[in-house]
Amino acid sequence: MAETLTTRCCVAGGGPAGMMLGFLLARAGIDVIVLEKHADFLRDFRGDTIHPSTLELMHELGLLDEFLKLPHQEVSRLSFQVGAERIPMVDFRHLPVRCKFVALMPQWDFLNFLARQGRRYPAFHLLMQTEAKDLISDGGRVVGLRAKAPDGKLEIRADLVVGSDGRHSTVRERAGFTVEDVGAPIDVLWFRVSRKNGDTEETSGHMEAGQMMVMLNRGDYWQCAYVIPKGGIEAVKREGLFRERVLALSPFLGDRVGELRSFDDIKLLTVAIDRLRQWHRPGLLCIGDAAHAMSPVGGVGVNLAVQDAVATANLLAARLADGCPAEHDLDAVRRRREFPVRMTQAMQVVVQNRLISAALKPGNAPLRPPLPVRLINAVPWLQGITARFVGLGVRPEHVRSPVSKHL
Ligand SMILES: Cc1cc2nc3c(=O)[nH]c(=O)nc-3n(C[C@H](O)[C@H](O)[C@H](O)COP(=O)(O)OP(=O)(O)OC[C@H]3O[C@@H](n4cnc5c(N)ncnc54)[C@H](O)[C@@H]3O)c2cc1C
């Protein structure tokens, strides 16, 4: 016999979208259960980029000072090395927000922080090692979900189920939602090499004919994203570890590239851009990557997931206080968030198809910066535009959900 729990809102998936939503609903006094299938948040190479707009939300929540006490690195400018030329691309220093930088922080620190903040509210319940397996429906409406917990089966009855279980979402699959695949011509190999005194401080991209890598300064190591053509991992493996290629892009890693010992040191990110046509059904809503997987271009996946959560809490917290939100209330979340998602994905497609794919074409001729890159270099205020798009995103959200008086 499955144990049964009852709550106002059951959130499946404790990533950035689910944890932020759980925290905001509990803060509004709405009883919420967040399910996370893993025992902890410790997973390497997930989105570790906390953008200025997310930091602004932390300020609005009164949490910014505490948040910034967590170990992080601050990136206020981004440049690209294209052949012999170093080109400034993004300058966050003039954004109209408190934090004019991207904070690089392990995602597990961010999620643990949200979990700690959530636990301040009695309405917040986080069930780790609990995996959503199926939806429970009654008369065409979702009324809860079935989950596998460490002690056995669990049934959670809820006025609203939110699927925030990422880009391989069980919830969206069980709901039968149609996924529109936008496509992505690239995959990314993530790895790390140590950082030494005397290395540059700068987080930057590197492009040569046929190759591209982004290096994030993570304090004592470089987090490297080596970009390959879609499905190219087998060809890379046949060639063996790509240390020479890494060295061609960043010669200063000469004494450290040997830290790449096997493909176990490398994590493949199969890049996907997709989105749901329909984000909701009666009693059910999908947000974050479960509603729209993003490309790593701009590192905006975490930011969009958080923005979805804020919009959901803004639009639904008051409705949830009275029971299940109506369908048009659920659709209000899609209407609010679909435009920013589509705009961001469209920009990612342009960057992937026009700039990155062109750079990855094999060839021996020295790579010339493409026209848009040369323009950004020539007209410095364009670096402010790219900063707005990456750092704040389209139609950034602000916290409007209520705060419960009953702590
Ligand atoms: C290797 C890699 C590198 C990335 N790099 C970046 C980057 O640099 N910058 C950036 O912004 N984005 C990056 N992303 C994307 C970013 O991590 C996501 O866009 C963002 O985390 C989406 O948040 P989310 O909460 O919607 O989903 P997720 O972060 O995917 O969270 C979903 C959560 O649900 C849990 N879950 C899954 N299924 C179930 C289930 N059935 N029941 C219960 N729990 C479940 C998962 O364990 C996970 O914790 C990267 C992604 C990957 C895979």
Side-chain angles (χ1 to χ4, degrees), residues 27 49 68 85 91 311:
R27 177 177 171 270
T49 46
L68 289 179
E85 267 185 84
D91 187 347

Side-chain angles (χ1 to χ4, degrees), residues 13 15-17 36-38 43 45-47 49 132 165 190 288-289 299 301-302:
E36 169 51 49
K37 71 175 177 183
H38 290 102
R43 283 175 298 290
F45 298 128
R46 307 231 327 220
T49 46
D165 48 347
W190 287 99
D289 271 19
V302 171

Side-chain angles (χ1 to χ4, degrees), residues 346-406:
M347 191 55 79
Q348 292 185 321
V349 166
V350 169
V351 173
Q352 284 180 170
N353 295 357
R354 296 276 172 83
L355 304 184
I356 302 179
S357 291
L360 290 184
K361 284 213 178 92
N364 295 322
L367 189 66
R368 269 202 85 209
L371 179 64
V373 173
R374 277 183 276 143
L375 267 178
I376 292 172
N377 189 27
V379 188
W381 64 263
L382 286 178
Q383 294 156 33
I385 305 281
T386 50
R388 254 179 193 271
F389 195 80
V390 174
L392 303 185
V394 177
R395 202 156 70 189
E397 301 292 339
H398 296 280
V399 178
R400 311 249 184 266
S401 48
V403 190
S404 164
K405 291 181 195 71
H406 311 289

Side-chain angles (χ1 to χ4, degrees), residues 11-19 35-38 41 43-49 51 107 111 130-133 164-171 190 216 223 267-269 287-290 292-296 298-303 305-306:
V11 178
M19 292 304 292
L35 310 183
E36 169 51 49
K37 71 175 177 183
H38 290 102
F41 296 119
R43 283 175 298 290
D44 215 348
F45 298 128
R46 307 231 327 220
D48 288 350
T49 46
H51 281 51
Q107 198 181 101
L111 298 177
T130 305
E131 182 173 0
K133 289 290 197 185
S164 54
D165 48 347
R167 61 208 199 116
H168 304 294
S169 167
T170 302
V171 169
W190 287 99
L216 309 179
Q223 183 179 345
K267 160 99 181 156
L268 169 70
L269 168 62
I287 61 169
D289 271 19
H292 48 75
M294 308 301 292
S295 155
V300 293
V302 171
N303 201 37
V306 168

